[in-house]
Amino acid sequence: MSELAVEAEKLDSADELAGVRAQFVLDTASDDAADAVGVYLDGNSLGALPAGVPGRVEDVVRRQWGELRIRSWDESGWWTAPERIGDRIAPLVGAATGQIVVGDSTSVNVFKALVGAVRLAGEGRDEIVVDATTFPTDGYIAESAARMTGCTLRPVTPAEVPGALGDRTAAVLLNHVDYRTGRLHDLPALTAAAHAAGAVVVWDLCHSAGALPVGLDEHGVDLAVGCTYKYLNGGPGSPAYLYVRRSLQDRFDSPLPGWNSHAEPFGMRPAYEPAAGALRGRVGTPDILSMLALEAALEVWDGDGVSIEAVRAKSLALTDFFLRCVESYVPAGRVESVTPAAHAERGSQVALRCPDAGDVMKRLIERGVVGDFRHPDVLRFGFTPLYIGFADVERAARVLGDVVR
């Protein structure tokens, strides 16, 4: 056994979050079985299945829907699920209750937040600044929102944002973590810069929520959106969420008013009157099956010691250890990390540049190490501390070294 493998065993023995792994459905690692999916490092695309979800979904389908039927909107709490589950997510992103509503997709919520931000900014501001390195959909939505609101779209890198802001800036749309490189952007400083220019800021938390502290309330973030199927393990296509800072809620004007966000949803009035609070971020009938699966998935955070701070500490330790193992096992010059080494600039993934990355990832998956490939030359490995251990990390780097030789 290598020195790194021995060290991994010691680190796993001392890991206070190690017991949480049993709450997930995972395969067993095996170097002997070529097709065994033993190390799952793609939780930054789709989180693993929490063990409590299947039973909860069965109850929702068989009893709540099958037996109670329409009564479940009241008796099973279906109607209040969007805000109730939003309050479950709130502490994971540093928000007080009553500011997050769950529903729709990330793309839809980006649209709601960005158009809402322009409307909050008011007259005389006609420019949207957007992260030029953003996930493509955010860019598409920003371009459409700019056309619809009569704004000019200005794409810049996050580092260029402070210098790009001015008295015409209405809204700023930024990603907390770069989905390709894993770079963590400075949310407090960029939020403060936007506010100093009089702009409204929207943060996309898809690659940070559930992996590291966000501090929405602490840093005065205006609006934020995020998905729940990555580090929150809500399942494929699980509903996204929208955060509206409490002080802005009475002025937040959603571009997608629906009967679910009406002050009197069952009044069926022809004129729209928005509900109070974050509820005005709702639109139509919530997707109950996915939403309640998400609620069950979030219960893994209820255990003693399972805090976002503990998860962040382990995430940094895992990614540090992975980079050390890569340096030891992978031939020099074969891969290059494009993820920042500084903890303050790193999310919960490691991206390695590799000329034949697509082929390498296929062979890694055949050997039971699952990450993903981003065109043209990036190997992406996501580290979900709730179910990834140090032995997993050591094995992944060792197999990578074998594959690229």
Side-chain angles (χ1 to χ4, degrees), residues 275-312:
L279 284 177
R280 61 181 59 194
R282 292 176 64 156
V283 184
T285 305
D287 183 345
I288 291 299
L289 299 184
S290 290
M291 193 165 292
L292 298 188
L294 166 63
E295 185 173 34
L298 291 171
E299 291 177 1
V300 300
W301 293 89
D302 292 343
D304 291 339
V306 185
S307 66
I308 196 64
E309 291 76 18
V311 164
R312 176 58 169 168

Short mmCIF file of all heavy atoms in Angstrom, two decimals, residues 275-312:
data_model
loop_
_atom_site.label_atom_id
_atom_site.label_comp_id
_atom_site.label_asym_id
_atom_site.label_seq_id
_atom_site.Cartn_x
_atom_site.Cartn_y
_atom_site.Cartn_z
N ALA A 275 -48.59 38.31 -4.23
CA ALA A 275 -48.57 37.91 -2.83
C ALA A 275 -47.46 38.65 -2.10
O ALA A 275 -46.53 39.19 -2.71
CB ALA A 275 -48.35 36.41 -2.73
N ALA A 276 -47.53 38.65 -0.81
CA ALA A 276 -46.48 39.28 0.00
C ALA A 276 -45.29 38.34 0.10
O ALA A 276 -45.42 37.12 0.04
CB ALA A 276 -47.02 39.60 1.39
N GLY A 277 -44.11 38.93 0.26
CA GLY A 277 -42.92 38.15 0.52
C GLY A 277 -42.39 37.40 -0.69
O GLY A 277 -42.71 37.69 -1.84
N ALA A 278 -41.57 36.37 -0.40
CA ALA A 278 -40.93 35.59 -1.46
C ALA A 278 -41.93 34.81 -2.29
O ALA A 278 -41.61 34.35 -3.39
CB ALA A 278 -39.90 34.64 -0.86
N LEU A 279 -43.15 34.67 -1.79
CA LEU A 279 -44.18 33.93 -2.52
C LEU A 279 -44.44 34.51 -3.91
O LEU A 279 -44.88 33.80 -4.81
CB LEU A 279 -45.50 33.92 -1.74
CG LEU A 279 -45.57 32.99 -0.54
CD1 LEU A 279 -46.91 33.15 0.17
CD2 LEU A 279 -45.38 31.56 -0.97
N ARG A 280 -44.15 35.79 -4.11
CA ARG A 280 -44.39 36.37 -5.43
C ARG A 280 -43.41 35.82 -6.47
O ARG A 280 -43.53 36.10 -7.65
CB ARG A 280 -44.35 37.90 -5.38
CG ARG A 280 -43.05 38.50 -4.94
CD ARG A 280 -43.16 40.02 -4.91
NE ARG A 280 -44.21 40.50 -4.00
CZ ARG A 280 -44.68 41.74 -3.99
NH1 ARG A 280 -44.18 42.65 -4.81
NH2 ARG A 280 -45.63 42.10 -3.15
N GLY A 281 -42.46 35.01 -6.03
CA GLY A 281 -41.58 34.33 -6.96
C GLY A 281 -42.16 33.04 -7.51
O GLY A 281 -41.59 32.44 -8.42
N ARG A 282 -43.29 32.59 -6.97
CA ARG A 282 -43.97 31.41 -7.52
C ARG A 282 -44.64 31.79 -8.83
O ARG A 282 -44.88 32.96 -9.12
CB ARG A 282 -45.01 30.90 -6.52
CG ARG A 282 -44.41 30.31 -5.26
CD ARG A 282 -45.44 29.88 -4.22
NE ARG A 282 -46.30 28.79 -4.67
CZ ARG A 282 -46.93 27.94 -3.84
NH1 ARG A 282 -46.77 28.05 -2.53
NH2 ARG A 282 -47.71 27.00 -4.32
N VAL A 283 -44.96 30.76 -9.63
CA VAL A 283 -45.65 31.01 -10.89
C VAL A 283 -46.87 30.11 -11.00
O VAL A 283 -47.99 30.53 -10.74
CB VAL A 283 -44.72 30.79 -12.11
CG1 VAL A 283 -45.46 31.17 -13.40
CG2 VAL A 283 -43.46 31.64 -11.99
N GLY A 284 -46.64 28.86 -11.38
CA GLY A 284 -47.74 27.93 -11.56
C GLY A 284 -47.70 26.79 -10.56
O GLY A 284 -46.95 26.83 -9.57
N THR A 285 -48.50 25.78 -10.81
CA THR A 285 -48.62 24.64 -9.90
C THR A 285 -47.26 23.97 -9.71
O THR A 285 -46.61 23.61 -10.68
CB THR A 285 -49.63 23.63 -10.45
OG1 THR A 285 -50.86 24.30 -10.69
CG2 THR A 285 -49.85 22.49 -9.47
N PRO A 286 -46.82 23.78 -8.47
CA PRO A 286 -45.50 23.18 -8.23
C PRO A 286 -45.45 21.71 -8.62
O PRO A 286 -46.45 21.00 -8.57
CB PRO A 286 -45.29 23.37 -6.72
CG PRO A 286 -46.65 23.55 -6.15
CD PRO A 286 -47.47 24.20 -7.22
N ASP A 287 -44.24 21.27 -8.99
CA ASP A 287 -43.99 19.87 -9.34
C ASP A 287 -43.81 19.08 -8.05
O ASP A 287 -42.71 18.97 -7.51
CB ASP A 287 -42.73 19.80 -10.21
CG ASP A 287 -42.43 18.40 -10.69
OD1 ASP A 287 -42.99 17.44 -10.15
OD2 ASP A 287 -41.60 18.26 -11.61
N ILE A 288 -44.91 18.52 -7.55
CA ILE A 288 -44.91 17.93 -6.22
C ILE A 288 -44.01 16.71 -6.09
O ILE A 288 -43.29 16.56 -5.09
CB ILE A 288 -46.36 17.59 -5.80
CG1 ILE A 288 -47.15 18.88 -5.57
CG2 ILE A 288 -46.38 16.72 -4.54
CD1 ILE A 288 -46.59 19.78 -4.48
N LEU A 289 -43.99 15.82 -7.07
CA LEU A 289 -43.19 14.61 -6.94
C LEU A 289 -41.71 14.96 -6.78
O LEU A 289 -41.03 14.45 -5.88
CB LEU A 289 -43.40 13.69 -8.14
CG LEU A 289 -44.84 13.17 -8.36
CD1 LEU A 289 -44.87 12.19 -9.53
CD2 LEU A 289 -45.37 12.50 -7.10
N SER A 290 -41.18 15.81 -7.66
CA SER A 290 -39.78 16.20 -7.57
C SER A 290 -39.52 17.03 -6.32
O SER A 290 -38.47 16.92 -5.68
CB SER A 290 -39.36 16.99 -8.81
OG SER A 290 -39.31 16.17 -9.94
N MET A 291 -40.47 17.88 -5.98
CA MET A 291 -40.27 18.78 -4.85
C MET A 291 -40.18 18.01 -3.54
O MET A 291 -39.32 18.28 -2.69
CB MET A 291 -41.39 19.81 -4.80
CG MET A 291 -41.10 20.96 -3.87
SD MET A 291 -42.18 22.38 -4.11
CE MET A 291 -41.67 22.94 -5.72
N LEU A 292 -41.02 17.01 -3.36
CA LEU A 292 -41.00 16.26 -2.12
C LEU A 292 -39.85 15.27 -2.08
O LEU A 292 -39.39 14.89 -0.99
CB LEU A 292 -42.35 15.58 -1.89
CG LEU A 292 -43.54 16.56 -1.74
CD1 LEU A 292 -44.80 15.82 -1.31
CD2 LEU A 292 -43.21 17.66 -0.73
N ALA A 293 -39.36 14.83 -3.24
CA ALA A 293 -38.12 14.05 -3.26
C ALA A 293 -36.97 14.91 -2.78
O ALA A 293 -36.11 14.46 -2.01
CB ALA A 293 -37.86 13.53 -4.67
N LEU A 294 -36.94 16.16 -3.21
CA LEU A 294 -35.92 17.10 -2.75
C LEU A 294 -36.01 17.30 -1.25
O LEU A 294 -34.99 17.32 -0.55
CB LEU A 294 -36.08 18.43 -3.48
CG LEU A 294 -35.32 19.63 -2.90
CD1 LEU A 294 -33.81 19.39 -2.96
CD2 LEU A 294 -35.70 20.91 -3.63
N GLU A 295 -37.22 17.46 -0.75
CA GLU A 295 -37.38 17.67 0.69
C GLU A 295 -36.79 16.51 1.48
O GLU A 295 -36.11 16.70 2.50
CB GLU A 295 -38.85 17.86 1.04
CG GLU A 295 -39.09 18.21 2.50
CD GLU A 295 -40.54 18.57 2.79
OE1 GLU A 295 -41.43 17.97 2.15
OE2 GLU A 295 -40.77 19.43 3.64
N ALA A 296 -37.03 15.29 1.00
CA ALA A 296 -36.46 14.12 1.67
C ALA A 296 -34.94 14.12 1.57
O ALA A 296 -34.23 13.77 2.52
CB ALA A 296 -37.03 12.85 1.05
N ALA A 297 -34.41 14.53 0.41
CA ALA A 297 -32.96 14.56 0.23
C ALA A 297 -32.29 15.52 1.19
O ALA A 297 -31.18 15.28 1.67
CB ALA A 297 -32.64 14.94 -1.21
N LEU A 298 -32.95 16.62 1.50
CA LEU A 298 -32.36 17.63 2.38
C LEU A 298 -32.25 17.17 3.83
O LEU A 298 -31.55 17.79 4.63
CB LEU A 298 -33.18 18.93 2.31
CG LEU A 298 -33.11 19.67 0.98
CD1 LEU A 298 -34.13 20.81 0.95
CD2 LEU A 298 -31.70 20.22 0.72
N GLU A 299 -32.90 16.06 4.17
CA GLU A 299 -32.84 15.56 5.54
C GLU A 299 -31.45 15.05 5.92
O GLU A 299 -31.14 14.90 7.11
CB GLU A 299 -33.88 14.47 5.74
CG GLU A 299 -35.31 15.01 5.71
CD GLU A 299 -36.38 13.92 5.84
OE1 GLU A 299 -36.01 12.74 5.98
OE2 GLU A 299 -37.58 14.27 5.79
N VAL A 300 -30.58 14.81 4.93
CA VAL A 300 -29.22 14.36 5.28
C VAL A 300 -28.47 15.46 6.03
O VAL A 300 -27.46 15.18 6.69
CB VAL A 300 -28.42 13.94 4.02
CG1 VAL A 300 -29.11 12.79 3.31
CG2 VAL A 300 -28.19 15.10 3.08
N TRP A 301 -28.95 16.71 5.93
CA TRP A 301 -28.30 17.82 6.63
C TRP A 301 -28.75 17.93 8.09
O TRP A 301 -28.27 18.81 8.81
CB TRP A 301 -28.60 19.13 5.91
CG TRP A 301 -27.98 19.22 4.56
CD1 TRP A 301 -28.52 18.81 3.37
CD2 TRP A 301 -26.68 19.72 4.24
NE1 TRP A 301 -27.64 19.03 2.34
CE2 TRP A 301 -26.50 19.60 2.84
CE3 TRP A 301 -25.64 20.28 5.01
CZ2 TRP A 301 -25.34 20.00 2.20
CZ3 TRP A 301 -24.48 20.68 4.37
CH2 TRP A 301 -24.34 20.54 2.98
N ASP A 302 -29.66 17.06 8.53
CA ASP A 302 -30.22 17.19 9.87
C ASP A 302 -29.36 16.56 10.95
O ASP A 302 -29.62 16.75 12.14
CB ASP A 302 -31.62 16.56 9.92
CG ASP A 302 -32.64 17.34 9.11
OD1 ASP A 302 -32.36 18.51 8.78
OD2 ASP A 302 -33.70 16.77 8.79
N GLY A 303 -28.35 15.78 10.57
CA GLY A 303 -27.55 15.08 11.56
C GLY A 303 -26.64 16.01 12.35
O GLY A 303 -26.31 17.11 11.92
N ASP A 304 -26.22 15.54 13.51
CA ASP A 304 -25.31 16.32 14.35
C ASP A 304 -23.99 16.53 13.61
O ASP A 304 -23.39 15.59 13.07
CB ASP A 304 -25.03 15.57 15.66
CG ASP A 304 -26.26 15.51 16.56
OD1 ASP A 304 -27.16 16.35 16.37
OD2 ASP A 304 -26.32 14.62 17.43
N GLY A 305 -23.53 17.75 13.61
CA GLY A 305 -22.24 18.05 13.01
C GLY A 305 -22.26 18.23 11.51
O GLY A 305 -21.22 18.52 10.91
N VAL A 306 -23.43 18.05 10.89
CA VAL A 306 -23.52 18.20 9.43
C VAL A 306 -23.86 19.65 9.13
O VAL A 306 -25.03 20.03 8.97
CB VAL A 306 -24.57 17.25 8.82
CG1 VAL A 306 -24.55 17.35 7.29
CG2 VAL A 306 -24.30 15.81 9.25
N SER A 307 -22.85 20.48 9.07
CA SER A 307 -23.03 21.89 8.82
C SER A 307 -22.33 22.27 7.53
O SER A 307 -21.44 21.56 7.05
CB SER A 307 -22.46 22.73 9.96
OG SER A 307 -21.04 22.59 10.01
N ILE A 308 -22.72 23.39 6.96
CA ILE A 308 -22.07 23.83 5.72
C ILE A 308 -20.61 24.19 5.99
O ILE A 308 -19.74 24.03 5.10
CB ILE A 308 -22.84 25.01 5.09
CG1 ILE A 308 -22.42 25.23 3.63
CG2 ILE A 308 -22.69 26.27 5.92
CD1 ILE A 308 -22.73 24.10 2.72
N GLU A 309 -20.29 24.62 7.21
CA GLU A 309 -18.90 24.92 7.55
C GLU A 309 -18.06 23.65 7.59
O GLU A 309 -16.91 23.63 7.11
CB GLU A 309 -18.83 25.65 8.89
CG GLU A 309 -19.39 27.06 8.87
CD GLU A 309 -20.91 27.10 8.86
OE1 GLU A 309 -21.55 26.08 9.22
OE2 GLU A 309 -21.48 28.16 8.48
N ALA A 310 -18.62 22.57 8.16
CA ALA A 310 -17.89 21.29 8.20
C ALA A 310 -17.71 20.74 6.79
O ALA A 310 -16.66 20.17 6.46
CB ALA A 310 -18.65 20.29 9.07
N VAL A 311 -18.73 20.89 5.97
CA VAL A 311 -18.64 20.43 4.58
C VAL A 311 -17.56 21.20 3.84
O VAL A 311 -16.77 20.61 3.08
CB VAL A 311 -20.01 20.58 3.89
CG1 VAL A 311 -19.88 20.48 2.38
CG2 VAL A 311 -20.96 19.50 4.40
N ARG A 312 -17.50 22.50 4.04
CA ARG A 312 -16.47 23.31 3.36
C ARG A 312 -15.07 22.89 3.79
O ARG A 312 -14.16 22.77 2.96
CB ARG A 312 -16.69 24.79 3.67
CG ARG A 312 -15.62 25.72 3.10
CD ARG A 312 -15.49 25.59 1.59
NE ARG A 312 -14.65 26.67 1.04
CZ ARG A 312 -14.18 26.67 -0.20
NH1 ARG A 312 -14.44 25.64 -1.00
NH2 ARG A 312 -13.46 27.67 -0.64
#
